[in-house]
Amino acid sequence: MIMDLSQSSSLSQSKGRFVENSDKISNLPTHIAHHILSFLMMEDIARLSMVSKWWQELCRSISSLTVDGMRYRGKDYKLIRFKNFLERLMFRRNGMKMVQFCVRWTFLKWHLDEYRFLTWLHDAVRCNVEVLYLDLCIFLPGALKIPLCVLHCESLRFLTVSLYGGVLQLPSSSGFTKLQSLSLTRVRVLDDLFVEQVLSSCNSLDKLCLDGVNGINNINIRSSSLKYLEIRSYEHDGLFHLNVFGEWLEELIIHWKFTPSGGTSLKMATPHLKCFTWGGFPPDNYFFGNLKCLRSCALSLEQLSSSWRPPYLEEFFHILEHIEELMIHAQCLKALFKAGMLPIPLKHLHTLRINLSSSDSVDGDVYKAIALLMKGVANVLGLFIDVKPSPKKRRNLRQA
């Protein structure tokens, strides 16, 4: 069979054009190519790095790395290969800029893997990492000891640590230098002065989130840099006293549940606070100080009838007379109604949101409370009533 040479030539040219036009990503700017790669799993990046030298260089220089070792439970051989690839990748970066480094990992034998993990952190610091996210499950008796290189990292701005109840330790001699945001979730600390130690050295910290930090009976927040503070504490965390002193704090979220034992207290000195979200159980004693700048408040307190006496309610709502936005749970409204404190004059309020559970929606006292509340908010422009379905109804909706 004889093929026409001109036909063969045109086929080769069309094939060449197809190959040339099919590789769109190599013509993109590097930062856009990196953004596309950031949506891939690390395993896919490992495969791409073996396609060619160009792909290897692109994968090696990616600015955001997400390492998810929790996907390899029960697959030891794959986990070993993955660890080896990650070590080579981190080492070969040789100081290339890294914006974000996220690690999700389960350490069954921390004493064997601690050095390897700390090496990853050291390599990330060498690459001037800015965002560090650590989601780690460390089996006892292991504890995560933040190395000095992380604390002294000049480029680090955002740090998030979640340990599933594991122990977190910091070197006693120093703290974070340029950190702007710190979030700790489900960690256990061994020093009651842990928070004070962190804040004493973080002069640039403007956002702090403490969610389920166990091992601290007294939390004392004293900062002239914080603008956002979120504290979530639960019955098993053992928190009894919460003191917040933030001169420039603008937003505060407190969700605090505790075992009823008496003696709990909340003290605040936040003269520039604008937004306040308060949920959980009301403490036995509290002091709010000057809240004249407060403009938005969300209340979802529980167990009011047994824990909070009407004088406390009256004092708190007197503080709220200047607010413009209010979100309140139906149980709070019901407690106010039973205490005979409605209506409350909120002359500046323009947005009101009321949250009801499915059981509240059939409670006559709740609707009486809403009607009385509306008499004191004559200038309101927006009224929203949200009904949250019961857990059973939510399950039925998901199944449907």
Side-chain angles (χ1 to χ4, degrees), residues 112-125:
L112 298 179
D113 289 321
E114 181 179 12
Y115 177 78
R116 183 194 299 264
F117 172 73
L118 295 181
T119 301
W120 297 346
L121 291 186
H122 183 268
D123 289 335
V125 170

Side-chain angles (χ1 to χ4, degrees), residues 78-359:
K78 290 187 176 181
L79 183 60
I80 292 173
R81 291 172 58 187
F82 183 61
K83 287 179 180 178
N84 292 337
F85 165 75
L86 181 59
E87 287 180 353
R88 291 195 301 270
L89 178 68
M90 296 294 288
F91 179 76
R92 290 173 180 174
R93 289 183 66 91
N94 195 27
M96 285 185 183
K97 176 64 180 176
M98 181 184 294
V99 175
Q100 180 173 285
F101 185 46
C102 303
V103 182
R104 297 184 69 249
W105 209 279
T106 299
F107 294 99
L108 299 176
K109 299 177 181 178
W110 178 244
H111 63 286
L112 298 179
D113 289 321
E114 181 179 12
Y115 177 78
R116 183 194 299 264
F117 172 73
L118 295 181
T119 301
W120 297 346
L121 291 186
H122 183 268
D123 289 335
V125 170
R126 280 200 311 133
C127 296
N128 296 315
V129 64
E130 296 180 11
V131 180
L132 189 58
Y133 179 86
L134 307 178
D135 185 10
L136 312 176
C137 182
I138 301 175
F139 280 67
L140 293 175
L144 176 61
K145 300 177 181 178
I146 301 295
L148 282 172
C149 67
V150 174
L151 271 69
H152 294 162
C153 182
E154 293 284 334
S155 61
L156 187 62
R157 297 294 182 267
F158 305 90
L159 174 63
T160 298
V161 180
S162 178
L163 294 182
Y164 299 90
V167 176
L168 176 65
Q169 293 181 336
L170 295 177
S172 57
S173 58
S174 59
F176 302 100
T177 53
K178 299 295 182 63
L179 198 66
Q180 296 176 0
S181 174
L182 174 63
S183 179
L184 304 178
T185 303
R186 296 174 64 185
V187 305
R188 184 162 63 92
V189 299
L190 306 178
D191 187 353
D192 202 45
L193 299 177
F194 178 86
V195 176
E196 289 90 326
Q197 178 187 347
V198 171
L199 292 175
S200 64
S201 57
C202 294
N203 297 324
S204 303
L205 194 69
D206 59 23
K207 181 177 181 180
L208 175 63
C209 301
L210 304 175
D211 186 353
V213 177
N214 185 276
I216 303 179
N217 294 325
N218 307 308
I219 291 183
N220 296 297
I221 305 291
R222 293 180 180 274
S223 173
S224 58
S225 63
L226 275 182
K227 293 183 179 179
Y228 177 96
L229 175 62
E230 181 175 350
I231 298 178
R232 298 180 181 273
S233 184
Y234 310 96
E235 289 92 338
H236 57 273
D237 293 328
L239 178 62
F240 285 98
H241 304 287
L242 176 57
N243 303 315
V244 179
F245 303 98
E247 182 181 358
W248 298 107
L249 192 67
E250 296 181 356
E251 184 170 357
L252 174 61
I253 298 175
I254 297 177
H255 187 86
W256 183 11
K257 291 187 175 183
F258 45 80
T259 303
S261 57
T264 54
S265 66
L266 170 63
K267 294 181 180 180
M268 294 167 47
T270 53
H272 293 92
L273 191 66
K274 297 178 181 179
C275 302
F276 183 31
T277 300
W278 191 11
F281 303 157
D284 298 289
N285 302 287
Y286 67 90
F287 174 76
F288 292 105
N290 179 8
L291 292 178
K292 290 184 178 181
C293 292
L294 193 65
R295 293 295 177 265
S296 176
C297 183
L299 295 175
S300 57
L301 294 169
E302 306 171 29
Q303 298 185 358
L304 292 178
S305 58
S306 60
S307 306
W308 233 12
R309 299 189 298 275
Y312 292 157
L313 283 169
E314 187 174 5
E315 178 187 343
F316 180 70
F317 275 91
H318 178 70
I319 296 174
L320 299 183
E321 62 183 7
H322 295 287
I323 64 170
E324 300 173 354
E325 299 178 4
L326 174 64
M327 189 284 288
I328 187 167
H329 194 275
Q331 292 301 314
C332 295
L333 269 181
K334 192 174 178 180
L336 292 170
F337 172 72
K338 290 187 174 182
M341 294 179 54
L342 294 175
I344 300 171
L346 300 174
K347 299 179 181 179
H348 301 279
L349 193 71
H350 61 68
T351 303
L352 174 62
R353 185 180 296 274
I354 302 174
N355 290 344
L356 287 77
S357 63
S358 56
S359 59

